[in-house]
Amino acid sequence: MMAQAMKEKTAYAGAFRLFAAARAGAGEPAWAGALREDAFARFEERGFPTTDEEDWKYTNVAPLARREFVPAETPAARAPEAAEFFVHEEARASRLVFINGLLAPGLSALEALPAGVVVSDIAAALAGEHGAAVRERLGALVPATGGPFAALNAAFFGGGAFVFVPRGVRVGAPVQLLFLSEGEGAHLASPRLLVLAERESELDIIESYAAAEGTGEYLTNTVAEVFVADGARVTHVKVQDEAEPAYHVGATHAEVGRDAVYDLTTVTLGSKLSRHDIAVRLGRENGTCHVDGLYLVGDGQHADTHSLIDHAVPRCASRQTYKGILDGRSRAVFNGRVFVHEGASQTDAQQSNKNLLLSREARVDTKPQLEIYNDDVKCSHGATVGQLEEEELFYLLSRGLSPALARNLLTYGFAEEIVEKIRHESIRRRLDRAILNRLHASLEV
């Protein structure tokens, strides 16, 4: 174990020195370089997590740790054609595109944004008029001390998106942040997303991860920090559809203000191993969050979701519905925790995790949790794991449907509850196609 840890550190140490030197040569501020150095020191001290740790008990990242990933230097050659395929129609003029973690300005378009709204590369934002706000908030919700992958991201992040919406501004078009991977090299992408939605503002974000055809093994290690000010509303859709050989580790943390709403929907389709850590803090009264998701995994895939909804003050509400569809020799993990503080009276929290197993070899470990320190609350949680209902199948068969079509309809319907939440039609259509493709299914007679 010790020898393996030293090998991991040595492999990343060389890549880090080259990366840090390149950033310094490009004029990176001294404070950013110091933050980067400190983050890497923490990563080397800590190393990758092991299954001996409770939070990683069911997810073994040893295969990932044995691989040597290095940051990409330039976008791959076929990126434009691949990127165009993954851009959503509603975001044609409100998108940023990143290739292997690096901003591709020629593929981005921001004409649809209202005056005052800023959507830019985070490095450019640090040097602009919002630099002080970026520096103050960067790492405030996900510090480098938050875990090994947070430290690794802080050490290697070279790009990402900064989104700022001024007070009272409603952004009509969704803002798509497309992170596309391409190429055969084992690259490391470490993007960050920082969202500042000021009071009474409204914003829709589409955070997309995808890969061009033929992309090899790579690691995406991403961190998103979302600040929703009083009375603001942020709708956040994250679609993870990485390449089959990929690894995806992500953290999404949000802070919700008074009378504000944060609505997160995550759809997990790709990569052979994925992990998503979610934390939402309801820190001012009458805040609301929705944390919903769908994971659809097939043979050889592993998807892990850990979430924490933190009710710190009175009169806040949270809703969490996560659904999983597992086929072949696949594995899913769901650990959802709702924490209600002693002073958080009149909390209203509901949590549900439902799993549909399409194979006898599929396995899911689910652990919804309520930790409550106040009596004046309305909280519930539950989890189910099962197969398609025989009575529902019999009903459809009795109406003349074939067995294959009946199963496809029921499975599709199980997933659609989450997809229907998404308000933009082209996104729903694309997710519908992706779900049917992953199920190798058709809804035609």
Side-chain angles (χ1 to χ4, degrees):
M1 180 67 72
M2 180 62 69
Q4 178 61 43
M6 290 301 295
K7 179 181 177 182
E8 293 162 8
K9 295 175 185 178
T10 302
Y12 280 93
F16 175 74
R17 292 302 159 205
L18 292 173
F19 183 76
R23 301 299 296 180
E28 181 174 74
W31 68 265
L35 182 150
R36 192 183 299 282
E37 292 281 350
D38 183 60
F40 189 71
R42 291 182 181 277
F43 170 72
E44 283 209 307
E45 177 184 354
R46 172 69 174 75
F48 284 103
T50 71
T51 53
D52 293 334
E53 301 169 47
E54 183 63 29
D55 282 348
W56 294 87
K57 182 177 180 180
Y58 301 111
T59 299
N60 183 4
V61 298
L64 185 156
R66 288 192 292 266
R67 194 75 160 92
E68 296 180 14
F69 297 97
V70 296
E73 296 181 1
T74 57
R78 293 173 296 167
E81 181 181 346
E84 188 67 22
F85 176 78
F86 292 105
V87 172
H88 294 292
E89 188 61 37
E90 292 90 343
R92 289 287 170 188
S94 54
R95 70 183 192 263
L96 281 187
V97 178
F98 298 81
I99 307 297
N100 295 344
L102 304 174
L103 178 66
L107 302 178
S108 304
L110 301 172
E111 296 86 356
L113 299 180
V117 174
V118 177
V119 178
S120 74
D121 182 71
I122 202 165
L126 277 167
E129 64 175 303
H130 297 286
V134 174
R135 181 173 177 178
E136 178 186 356
R137 300 296 182 90
L138 193 66
L141 300 183
V142 188
T145 55
F149 286 101
L152 191 65
N153 176 278
F156 280 100
F157 98 90
F162 170 65
V163 181
F164 171 78
V165 185
R167 180 172 180 170
V169 173
R170 178 183 180 275
V171 184
V175 175
Q176 183 176 7
L177 309 171
L178 172 59
F179 298 92
L180 182 68
S181 292
E182 187 178 51
E184 298 179 358
H187 68 263
L188 167 65
S190 303
R192 292 190 80 101
L193 167 59
L194 178 62
V195 178
L196 306 181
E198 290 195 330
R199 296 185 63 175
E200 307 296 335
S201 64
E202 187 171 337
L203 170 70
D204 283 7
I205 302 170
I206 309 163
E207 183 185 358
S208 308
Y209 296 87
E213 187 176 354
T215 302
E217 191 177 38
Y218 62 91
L219 167 61
T220 300
N221 178 28
T222 181
V223 169
E225 296 173 293
V226 183
F227 294 86
V228 189
D230 294 353
R233 182 183 186 97
V234 173
T235 301
H236 186 178
V237 177
K238 177 180 178 179
V239 181
Q240 189 273 95
D241 194 11
E242 302 271 26
E244 184 178 339
Y247 300 91
H248 182 99
V249 180
T252 303
H253 289 217
E255 184 176 87
V256 182
R258 185 188 307 274
D259 299 313
V261 178
Y262 178 59
D263 190 339
L264 171 67
T265 303
T266 300
V267 179
T268 299
L269 300 171
S271 77
K272 60 182 172 184
L273 186 150
S274 65
R275 165 79 174 226
H276 192 197
D277 289 319
I278 304 165
V280 180
R281 186 174 190 270
L282 297 162
R284 304 198 68 183
E285 292 188 18
N286 296 314
T288 300
C289 74
H290 300 262
V291 179
D292 302 321
L294 170 70
Y295 44 89
L296 182 61
V297 289
D299 200 42
Q301 286 185 286
H302 180 112
D304 182 346
T305 302
H306 273 59
S307 71
L308 167 64
I309 300 177
D310 187 13
H311 285 263
V313 298
R315 289 177 288 280
C316 290
S318 65
R319 298 288 184 270
Q320 183 172 31
T321 301
Y322 254 78
K323 287 192 167 187
I325 300 175
L326 293 82
D327 201 0
R329 293 179 61 86
S330 60
R331 177 85 176 267
V333 180
F334 176 83
N335 187 314
R337 182 181 173 210
V338 176
F339 189 97
V340 181
H341 291 253
E342 185 176 354
S345 59
Q346 299 182 46
T347 288
D348 183 357
Q350 297 178 20
Q351 182 187 71
S352 171
N353 175 230
K354 298 179 181 179
N355 297 276
L356 179 61
L357 305 184
L358 302 180
S359 164
R360 294 181 181 274
E361 299 175 308
R363 177 178 172 181
V364 62
D365 295 281
T366 178
K367 186 181 179 183
Q369 297 174 263
L370 292 176
E371 194 167 342
I372 303 172
Y373 295 94
N374 190 294
D375 292 333
D376 183 16
V377 300
K378 183 170 66 174
C379 299
S380 65
H381 72 304
T384 62
V385 179
Q387 298 177 325
L388 293 173
E389 293 287 344
E390 292 297 329
E391 289 185 2
E392 294 177 347
L393 276 173
F394 178 78
Y395 175 82
L396 293 178
L397 293 173
S398 69
R399 295 302 186 269
L401 275 67
S402 69
L405 178 58
R407 290 181 181 276
N408 289 348
L409 279 171
L410 291 176
T411 305
Y412 178 81
F414 181 85
E416 269 304 272
E417 181 183 352
I418 302 300
V419 176
E420 284 180 353
K421 277 194 59 189
I422 301 169
R423 66 177 70 181
H424 303 291
E425 183 179 351
S426 73
I427 305 172
R428 291 197 305 269
R429 287 200 307 267
R430 180 163 292 180
L431 288 176
D432 283 343
R433 290 195 298 270
I435 290 167
L436 290 172
N437 182 58
R438 292 303 178 96
L439 292 173
H440 305 290
S442 170
L443 298 184
E444 297 179 359
V445 178

